[in-house]
Amino acid sequence: MHWNSLQEFLEMGGYALYVWGSFGVTFLLIALEVWQARGSWRTELTHLTDALQIEASLQDKSPSSRPSATLTSVMPLTPSEESGGIKTGNPQPPFTP
Amino acid sequence: MSKSLSSRWFYYAAPQNFFHLCAQLWPWCAALAALLGLWGLYLGLLVAPVDAQQGEAYRIIFVHVPASWMSMVIYMAMAFWSIMGLVFNTRLSALMTRALAPTGAMFAFISLFSGALWGKPMWGTWWVWDARLTSELLLFFLYLGYMALTSAIEDPKKGDRAGALIAVVGSVNVPIIYFSVKWWNTLHQGSTITMGQAPSMAKLMLWAMLLMALSFWAYTLAVVFYRVRVMILLRERQSQWLRTWVSAHSVGGPA
């Protein structure tokens, strides 16, 4: 052990600001990065889970004649068939085989 | 042997396989980083003797040099993945490059910041516009430029390509940083460790510095493996394997 007392260790021979400043900023930034990475993982996982749940609930509400969400349930048919003026905001032309 | 190695390489080039591999790897890398870091800090801050010329201020070296090395290594790794992405058009390459950038920027900042804190008591100034300091500052800006550019371009594929070009072109700067203390007459001291020569520092100090450098390596691997999984979550959201995985592993238990 190089030091004789805690006081001596903390004073760093008069260079405390410089030495502890360097080590402090290093650990602060590493802690921030870890915290940020954990946050982004949780956010993205939650977003994806929510999106899947919404999709699943949409499939449940579709008429029993359609067992799952099909192309026609997601995309508008022809404009005349679009009752109630539902705007899907889908710029693609209606699907015609 | 080489055949199995190359087939394994391509196996893990698929985001699905790499996603699961990273989940296994990152906790080990993080544990290794903590262990090596504690050992390095113990030797560097508690055991290593005082420096004859610089007094206790020299201990800044234990974060300054490893951080500077990592800032250069990470940029070279980004250039490597960018070339792989441009040549083989693999999906994973750009994700690796994107995952590496923030950590590289962080280490470049630590290098500059701890350098300023070291420069003030030793040189009497926080900053000089000499070759070593200026080229490291340029490296920091290259990281920021890469991140700004890739996040500003909405089409991920176009963002990947633009980012890859910055990473490859900017990598010319890395050897300039490394050799700047040889090529120009700078205020910055010469290399502490030169290939093929005995290091110009006491063995114990050298050990502490190498342990800190290995710890930063392990930390970088851990955080990059962790972050690349977030990137895969974002990019592969349409693929069935990810949907199946998410339903089984969602935050609030199985959905």
Side-chain angles (χ1 to χ4, degrees):
Chain A
M1 181 71 79
H2 171 67
W3 310 96
N4 295 312
S5 68
L6 181 69
Q7 183 71 16
E8 206 183 286
F9 172 65
L10 292 176
E11 277 172 9
M12 276 287 154
Y15 295 110
L17 171 74
Y18 308 106
V19 175
W20 296 124
S22 301
F23 281 83
V25 163
T26 304
F27 292 107
L28 188 76
L29 286 176
I30 286 177
L32 269 176
E33 190 180 36
V34 169
W35 178 74
Q36 193 272 337
R38 280 191 77 84
S40 62
W41 168 259
R42 285 188 183 155
T43 310
E44 291 313 325
L45 196 56
T46 313
H47 278 171
L48 206 49
T49 312
D50 290 352
L52 286 182
Q53 274 169 357
I54 289 169
E55 237 181 58
S57 70
L58 281 178
Q59 283 184 2
D60 290 343
K61 279 174 194 161
S62 65
S64 54
S65 57
R66 294 194 198 116
S68 64
T70 57
L71 194 62
T72 47
S73 74
V74 177
M75 290 173 77
L77 299 166
T78 58
S80 60
E81 281 177 274
E82 215 174 329
S83 58
I86 301 163
K87 292 200 167 53
T88 54
N90 196 336
Q92 290 192 343
F95 175 74
T96 43
Chain B
M1 164 128 187
S2 68
K3 196 177 178 184
S4 76
L5 197 73
S6 73
S7 68
R8 186 164 287 206
W9 174 263
F10 284 112
Y11 176 76
Y12 285 119
Q16 176 181 1
N17 301 326
F18 199 63
F19 185 82
H20 299 309
L21 179 71
C22 286
Q24 305 253 303
L25 287 178
W26 81 260
W28 290 101
C29 295
L32 193 67
L35 216 67
L36 292 168
L38 285 174
W39 191 6
L41 285 174
Y42 167 73
L43 288 185
L45 287 177
L46 296 177
V47 182
V50 65
D51 186 73
Q53 284 176 9
Q54 305 199 358
E56 307 293 358
Y58 92 93
R59 293 182 199 277
I60 294 172
I61 204 173
F62 300 124
V63 285
H64 177 75
V65 171
S68 309
W69 282 347
M70 287 319 294
S71 71
M72 294 188 275
V73 166
I74 290 174
Y75 205 89
M76 292 316 280
M78 283 171 63
F80 168 78
W81 285 115
S82 296
I83 292 169
M84 296 296 283
L86 290 172
V87 173
F88 296 108
N89 205 21
T90 41
R91 277 181 296 169
L92 199 56
S93 317
L95 300 187
M96 284 301 283
T97 318
R98 282 177 190 250
L100 280 159
T103 309
M106 183 192 79
F107 280 124
F109 181 83
I110 291 173
S111 165
L112 292 165
F113 191 87
S114 61
L117 284 177
W118 201 357
K120 186 63 182 166
M122 292 302 129
W123 304 337
T125 177
W126 303 103
W127 183 262
V128 280
W129 290 101
D130 85 345
R132 174 54 75 83
L133 280 71
T134 309
S135 53
E136 180 73 25
L137 183 67
L138 181 62
L139 181 71
F140 179 58
F141 287 148
L142 280 168
Y143 278 120
L144 296 189
Y146 173 87
M147 289 191 287
L149 187 73
T150 48
S151 63
I153 299 175
E154 267 185 54
D155 178 8
K157 284 279 161 200
K158 280 184 186 164
D160 289 348
R161 288 189 72 85
L165 286 176
I166 283 209
V168 173
V169 173
S171 68
V172 174
N173 184 43
V174 173
I176 295 178
I177 303 173
Y178 188 77
F179 291 110
S180 58
V181 283
K182 271 191 189 163
W183 292 345
W184 292 284
N185 194 9
T186 74
L187 194 55
H188 195 283
Q189 66 195 61
S191 301
T192 311
I193 295 175
T194 312
M195 302 275 185
Q197 280 180 32
S200 62
M201 67 194 295
K203 260 211 175 105
L204 189 64
M205 298 176 185
L206 181 73
W207 265 108
M209 198 173 80
L210 289 179
L211 283 168
M212 289 303 284
L214 287 173
S215 166
F216 282 8
W217 261 100
Y219 168 78
T220 303
L221 290 174
V223 80
V224 167
F225 288 149
Y226 192 91
R227 202 184 277 123
V228 84
R229 297 183 83 226
V230 182
M231 308 262 166
I232 293 173
L233 273 190
L234 273 165
R235 285 282 178 98
E236 302 285 312
R237 50 176 60 229
Q238 295 303 328
S239 44
Q240 194 51 49
W241 72 265
L242 187 62
R243 286 159 170 252
T244 313
W245 185 88
V246 167
S247 329
H249 293 83
S250 57
V251 181

